[in-house]
Amino acid sequence: MLITFEGIDGAGKSTQVKKLKKFLMEKGHEVLTLREPGGTIVAEKIRDLLLASKHDITPIGELLLFSASRAELVQNIIVPELQQNRIVILDRFYDSTTAYQGYGRGLDLETLRQINAISSFGLKPDVTFFLDISPEDALIRKFSEKSIPLAFEQSELDRMESSGLAFYQRVREGYMKLVETNERFILLDAGDEPQEIHNKIIQKLAPFCSNKQKKPMQSEKREKF
Ligand SMILES: Nc1ncnc2c1ncn2[C@@H]1O[C@H](COP(=O)(O)OP(=O)(O)OP(=O)(O)O)[C@@H](O)[C@H]1O
Ligand SMILES: [Mg+2]
C-alpha cells in the first residue's frame, strides 16, 4: 500500500508521517517512510542541488531534477518494497510537482502529467492526504521552528522556501484543484491539533489497515495518465 502526504512547506507532513508510521508499526505492519526529493544516494545528491539556496535553477531544470530523483526512488526502493507487501509512506510525491512546478511556477500541466507518469513508472498512491494551511500560517510555523525572528533574513530559508507568499498561494490553489478532481485525495485542516489530524488519518485508513492480513488496495494498479 502506498500512502502519500502533500501540502506546502510547514503544513505538518513530517509530523503526521512520523505519527502514522508509529501507529501502523504498533499494529504489526511493516512500514517504510521516505521523503521526496531523496531516499537513495543519488536522489539525496539531487536533493542537495535542489534545496541549496545559492544555486539558480531554471523551472525546467528544477522539474527534471525532481523527476530524476523520483525515478531513482521509485525504481530502486518503492516498487521492491510494495512487491514485499510493505506499507510505504511518502512525504511528497508527484502531486508536489504538479502543485509546485505546474501551478506555482506555471509550467504546462499536460507536460507535467507526462513527465510524472514517466518518473513514477505509472505508480499511483492508494491514498493521498493533503494538509491544508495558508502560506502565512505555514511561514509562522517555519519561523518558530528555525527560531528565526519575524524580521527574517531571506538566507535562513531554503531555495524553495524563498519563493514568496504569492508562489505558495498558487501552490495551495493547485493542490485544491487536485483534491477536487482526484478521488484518492483526502483534505485535512492542517490548523487542527496534530493529534486530531492523526486521528482523522487513521480513521480514513481503518478499512485498509486495521487487519495486518488485509491485501493492499491498489498499489499494483497503474495510474491512468
Ligand atoms: N498541527 C499542527 N499544529 C501546530 N504546529 C504544527 C502542527 N503540525 C506540525 N507543526 C509544527 O510546524 C512545524 C512544521 O511541521 P512539519 O515539519 O511537520 O511540516 P512539513 O510539512 O513537513 O514541512 P516541510 O515541507 O518544510 O518539511 C514544526 O515545527 C511542527 O512541530
Ligand atoms: Mg517535512
Side-chain angles (χ1 to χ4, degrees), residues 119-134:
S119 68
S120 65
F121 300 84
L123 195 66
K124 178 188 176 184
D126 293 293
V127 59
T128 299
F129 292 104
F130 170 55
L131 292 161
D132 186 43
I133 189 171
S134 74

Side-chain angles (χ1 to χ4, degrees), residues 9-15 92 141-142 145 190 192-194 197:
D9 310 45
K13 298 178 296 298
S14 303
T15 304
R92 297 195 179 283
R141 281 190 187 173
K142 297 300 282 188
E145 189 183 33
D192 290 344
E193 287 297 313
I197 298 170

Side-chain angles (χ1 to χ4, degrees), residues 13-25 89 193-199 202:
K13 298 178 296 298
S14 303
T15 304
Q16 292 302 326
V17 166
K18 219 167 119 188
K19 277 178 167 297
L20 182 59
K21 181 182 190 182
K22 184 166 176 282
F23 173 83
L24 291 173
M25 288 183 78
I89 306 176
E193 287 297 313
Q195 190 57 37
E196 200 179 327
I197 298 170
H198 174 68
N199 291 343
I202 58 178

